[in-house]
Amino acid sequence: MGMDTLTNYRNVVQWHIMSLLPSSQLGSAHASFYPLYECCRLALVTFGVGITFPLPPQTAPLPSLARMLQIELQIYSQAVQNQSLEEQKLYGWCLMVGGIAAKFSSERSWYANKLKLYAASRGLSTWHEMRMELRAVLWLDSACDLAGHVLWDEAMTL
């Protein structure tokens, strides 16, 4: 695969991510069927501007996205333990992506605390186990592992 093709794929992926409508524009009926939609959309946008189509740190809206994602996750976090395994993994992925994006913001400790609770509820005790769950959703080792491992270590020392 040539660089032109790779660039085209990256651009198409980013276009699709940025084209996802906010849940407020989808109508109220979707919320009961897709309660994690807005969390996943915000986490995907975060992943997009951080990994897929990375913006320079000084212009990337990562702190704002981390705050917005935290608000959505707070709404959802009460019901996560009653959800399917797949939904729980999506929740864990959203926590990790948001926590990485919150590296230099006050929301970082909230994400670390929730990540620790998530790991305990899922019986995850090592970074390797967590990374396997993240890979089942969306994870790029070369771009995410270091920051994810740092957040994991922070969470496990709380």
Side-chain angles (χ1 to χ4, degrees):
M1 180 182 316
M3 277 307 260
D4 289 348
T5 304
L6 185 62
T7 300
N8 286 339
Y9 280 130
R10 181 197 66 174
N11 292 344
V12 167
V13 167
Q14 186 67 1
W15 181 84
H16 281 288
I17 290 171
M18 300 308 289
S19 297
L20 292 169
L21 292 174
S23 61
S24 62
Q25 294 181 17
L26 296 177
S28 59
H30 92 282
S32 60
F33 295 108
Y34 307 106
L36 257 181
Y37 173 84
E38 189 63 13
C39 298
C40 290
R41 186 188 74 81
L42 288 168
L44 271 172
V45 170
T46 303
F47 193 89
V49 300
I51 304 300
T52 308
F53 202 100
L55 297 175
Q58 57 273 29
T59 61
L62 296 177
S64 297
L65 287 166
R67 277 190 293 284
M68 292 166 43
L69 180 54
Q70 179 188 7
I71 291 166
E72 293 300 324
L73 287 168
Q74 286 173 328
I75 294 167
Y76 183 78
S77 66
Q78 316 312 0
V80 71
Q81 291 187 1
N82 298 324
Q83 301 304 321
S84 69
L85 178 59
E86 291 80 15
E87 288 173 302
Q88 289 180 38
K89 287 180 180 182
L90 280 172
Y91 174 78
W93 177 77
C94 289
L95 285 174
M96 183 61 76
V97 170
I100 291 170
K103 183 176 182 178
F104 299 112
S105 68
S106 59
E107 288 80 19
R108 178 73 167 209
S109 61
W110 181 88
Y111 279 102
N113 183 54
K114 289 295 183 182
L115 188 59
K116 182 174 185 164
L117 293 173
Y118 170 79
S121 74
R122 295 275 306 115
L124 305 173
S125 59
T126 67
W127 166 243
H128 177 74
E129 292 170 334
M130 182 67 195
R131 188 171 59 167
M132 290 299 108
E133 284 205 357
L134 296 167
R135 284 177 170 171
V137 179
L138 177 61
W139 196 252
L140 181 60
D141 292 350
S142 61
C144 303
D145 269 4
L146 180 59
H149 198 171
V150 168
L151 177 58
W152 173 264
D153 288 345
E154 285 177 32
M156 295 305 110
T157 58
L158 291 177

